[in-house]
Amino acid sequence: MELYTIETGNFKLDGGAMFGVVPKSIWNKLNPADDNNMISMAMRCLLVQDGNRLILIDNGMGSKQDAKFFGYYYLYGDFSLDASLAKYGFSRNDITDMVLTHLHFDHCGGSIQYNADRTKLETAFPNARYWVAEEHWNEALNPNPREKASFLKENILPIQESGQLQLLQAGQQFHKDIDLLFSVGHTQHMMLPVIPYKGTKLVYMADLIPTQAHMPISYVMGYDVRPLNAMKEKADVLNMALENNWILYFEHDPFNMACTLQQTEKGIRVKDQVLI
């Protein structure tokens, strides 16, 4: 199995929302805010090549939204999905499996694009199966008021209409060597792929631990729908990763891509930074 980092762009979110009840005097040292209290965020996806399968995990915001939408999220930088794929000699047409950890717009917006004359929405990966947790899919179609703004119908419904949608239940796999951990703290049945890598495993953390700064158990986001569940799930994953010397891969950390872990007096923390 070969793994490739796919940077799809950077954006900004409110620092207080990203760190919940953690005081700004603490989190601002970890990810400094600008004058509008906004912090930088990556949208770092992962490409897995295994034989004739080319698996992409998440795909960023995409580019189909209007200027007003992107004005809210301050999309910036030179990264793009297409450029990142091309760096390794691939294109969207090569993707065989599109794995969506969850359907919030910054993770799945690149799933759908406009056709050439912008008259119709179509899947951006025409040869891929789109894998989504079934319980999460149902939640996205009938969202709770807190998450409604994160589930955009134009990112979701065209997947089903294309016939490319594949729904997974807890305990199922889309690949025999890639396990899935299911989490309900951030959103209903978010999937965390656990991937063989260089004699150990790499865990794609999605929004359970979006950045290294969120590693302390109580550092959960204001966006999490079940913060107490998120804290327990975070503790469980950190303990499993420490015990098995797994690597954590961070989707939203603007500074750090991945790391190994160690036990400290303050809890489980970063041991070594890792580049994929």
Side-chain angles (χ1 to χ4, degrees):
M1 245 179 226
E2 296 290 334
L3 272 56
Y4 306 97
T5 295
I6 302 296
E7 299 278 5
T8 70
N10 295 85
F11 71 115
K12 292 188 176 185
L13 285 178
D14 183 86
M18 280 302 297
F19 285 93
V21 299
V22 180
K24 183 177 180 180
S25 59
I26 295 176
W27 63 252
N28 197 51
K29 298 175 183 177
L30 304 172
N31 192 337
D34 64 17
D35 292 341
N36 294 317
N37 209 50
M38 308 293 280
I39 63 172
S40 295
M41 302 278 286
M43 289 182 287
R44 182 180 298 111
C45 305
L46 188 65
L47 188 66
V48 182
Q49 185 179 24
D50 185 37
N52 61 0
R53 293 182 72 174
L54 197 63
I55 303 160
L56 181 61
I57 303 172
D58 283 353
N59 54 47
M61 278 191 199
S63 58
K64 67 182 176 297
Q65 305 299 332
D66 60 21
K68 182 179 179 180
F69 175 89
F70 288 118
Y72 291 141
Y73 299 104
Y74 304 90
L75 193 67
Y76 71 95
D78 297 326
F79 292 126
S80 73
L81 173 62
D82 289 317
S84 293
L85 289 173
K87 177 181 177 181
Y88 303 111
F90 302 118
S91 74
R92 295 169 186 256
N93 291 345
D94 298 318
I95 304 301
T96 62
D97 299 86
M98 183 65 251
V99 178
L100 299 172
T101 61
H102 60 301
L103 295 168
H104 289 169
F105 64 83
D106 54 318
H107 295 257
C108 77
S111 297
I112 304 300
Q113 63 187 7
Y114 277 106
N115 61 2
D117 57 7
R118 295 185 66 83
T119 58
K120 182 181 178 182
L121 292 172
E122 60 186 13
T123 52
F125 306 93
N127 301 313
R129 292 170 289 182
Y130 282 68
W131 299 96
V132 184
E134 183 171 13
E135 287 198 38
H136 182 70
W137 177 266
N138 294 333
E139 185 82 2
L141 294 184
N142 300 282
N144 62 72
R146 187 169 182 175
E147 285 188 278
K148 188 174 182 179
S150 293
F151 292 126
L152 305 182
K153 299 297 185 183
E154 61 266 32
N155 289 336
I156 299 170
L157 295 180
I159 302 175
Q160 186 176 47
E161 293 164 0
S162 73
Q164 295 170 249
L165 177 64
Q166 300 287 321
L167 296 176
L168 288 164
Q169 296 181 350
Q172 291 184 315
Q173 295 173 286
F174 67 91
H175 185 288
K176 63 181 179 62
D177 295 323
I178 299 177
D179 295 321
L180 293 170
L181 303 177
F182 288 81
S183 166
V184 302
H186 176 63
T187 186
Q188 182 68 24
H189 272 64
M190 179 171 64
M191 300 191 301
L192 308 180
V194 183
I195 306 159
Y197 180 68
K198 292 187 176 180
T200 182
K201 293 187 177 182
L202 177 146
V203 189
Y204 189 96
M205 294 308 304
D207 276 348
L208 183 59
I209 306 180
T211 76
Q212 285 188 15
H214 288 84
M215 198 168 292
I217 301 301
S218 61
Y219 286 29
V220 295
M221 294 184 287
Y223 299 110
D224 293 341
V225 295
R226 303 177 187 88
L228 294 180
N229 290 86
M231 290 169 65
K232 182 182 184 304
E233 290 166 348
K234 185 193 299 190
D236 289 344
V237 171
L238 287 173
N239 281 309
M240 281 192 294
L242 178 66
E243 181 179 348
N244 294 285
N245 197 34
W246 291 351
I247 296 167
L248 303 189
Y249 185 89
F250 302 103
E251 188 161 7
H252 286 314
D253 195 311
F255 313 113
N256 307 291
M257 178 183 297
C259 73
T260 56
L261 301 173
Q262 63 182 337
Q263 184 70 54
T264 74
E265 292 181 357
K266 293 184 177 181
I268 298 174
R269 296 291 187 270
V270 175
K271 181 180 181 182
D272 295 312
Q273 302 293 343
V274 177
L275 293 176
I276 306 302

